[in-house]
Amino acid sequence: MVRTRFAPSPTGYLHIGGLRTALYAYLFAKKNNGKFILRIEDTDQTREVKGAVDVIITALDKAGMKYDEGPIVGGDYGPYVQSERKQIYLDYAQKLLDSGDAYYCFCSKERLEELHKSGATKYDKHCLHISREEAEARIARGESYVIRQNIPESGSMTYHDEVFGDVTVDCKDLEDNILIKSDGMPTYNFANVIDDHLMGITHCIRGVEYLMSTPKYNLLYDALGWERPVYIHLQPIMRDATHKLSKRDGDAGFEDFLAKGFLPHAIVNYIALLGWNPKDNREKMSMQELIDSFSIEGLQKSSSIFDETKMRWLNSLYVKEMPLDEFHEAMKPFYDKYCPNKKVDYKYLSELLQPRVEVLSDVKDKAAFLDMFDMNADKPFDFELFNNKKWKTDVETMKLTIDDCIHVTEKYAGKEEFSEKLNAIAEAKGLKKGQLLWVYRIALTGAAATPGGGEEMVKLFGKGTALARLNKVKSAL
């Protein structure tokens, strides 16, 4: 059975690149009727951020990726948190010590720094030939130590990657990795090998930064007599041609984009296409369609550039297809943030906004008109808005029509004749329909741009508020 894993470190938010790695592992497992495992790699506890595990689990849930085994849900190969597996790593480190594939290292931080300053590019195996007896005696005296992997000094290692083909690395270019740190915790380089084997991971999907390190992992598999997994390395997601997408350069986390008002599956859909192409070049795909279409053959050897504008476009397609009730519920947090406590019909506002927004936070600009008219201010709005060259209107046009507009609103608001009566006013005053609707909308909202015209604005505010606004304008003229 195919078994893939996503193994993030709990160091904060879930990066878009990490989410894509998880997605590909999920899609591949589900395409092959396999299992998708979540494992928390928290061996570097100095970098752990409190609550980060919950953030990761919540993000996967929002993204629609339900893991089959892992923290909370459990499974047959737990624990699924590395800090809870410490003794397992120590036991396998001992096996490697016994076979000569690992050794104790007592080098001080100062010696390692001097080695680096001298121009050395890797550790010099200084402690390799310390006898077991001497090493155990020094440990008994309380000396600090680490356990290092003993990598051959000559020869080469070749393995096959499903994306990049055969990869060969000279052993002389590989450093004797630290397997167990001085605090007794394993490094990533050691723990990921032990856990992938013990958890039955068949396909290892991870970033391309591990492509040249994989021979070191294979030496561990070989030393322990284990079968190597299938390797699938992924190119990074880039901000531009030369820079990786990074939190330091702006939004790069899944939660960041949710906060902007992107829909979870729209994000998932978009990042699925950053490094993978379906055979039919479709762009908008449901999760099941992604699963059905996913293949390793579609993975790209080149990196992909993240285009937020393209993701906004894709998100807009999902927004427009949402049932109105669902869209309205999704909009509520954004109403609370950007236009709270307004005396308007928010459900109708959602109806007006749905075809006009790409992401939900667009409400900040699209509904800015709600703050343009202050009924308690001496000037309800900027009268200069009436001076429009396109429609050839000015304040005098407003004065010419205001009483009739108030009359039509009072008598016909909400009725079929409403639009017809406004047109009649325009005709009677020698105005074009657009001229009248322009000044009418400004009088109601104090804004030149609104999601809908005067009739929609009356419905949004309600007849009573609309009349109060029109009369406020009349009194200020």
Side-chain angles (χ1 to χ4, degrees), residues 37-55:
I37 291 90
L38 173 64
R39 185 175 73 225
I40 303 299
E41 299 197 341
D42 62 343
T43 57
D44 188 354
Q45 298 189 318
T46 61
R47 297 176 60 232
E48 184 173 351
V49 174
K50 186 177 180 180
V53 174
D54 291 335
V55 169

Side-chain angles (χ1 to χ4, degrees), residues 10 13 15 43 61 69 80 83 90 100 128 135 143-144 147-148 178 201 207 216 253 258 289 303 307 361:
Y13 69 104
H15 188 276
T43 57
D61 182 60
E69 301 172 23
Y80 293 91
S83 60
L90 294 175
L128 174 61
E143 285 193 43
S144 178
I147 298 176
R148 287 185 181 272
I178 294 175
I201 303 304
K216 294 186 286 189
L258 292 180
E289 288 172 328
S303 57
D307 183 351
S361 62

Side-chain angles (χ1 to χ4, degrees), residues 293-312:
S293 302
F294 189 77
S295 68
I296 293 174
E297 292 74 25
L299 294 175
Q300 302 170 1
K301 291 184 179 180
S302 58
S303 57
S304 301
I305 295 178
F306 185 88
D307 183 351
E308 187 170 335
T309 300
K310 180 67 175 291
M311 189 166 77
R312 284 180 64 95

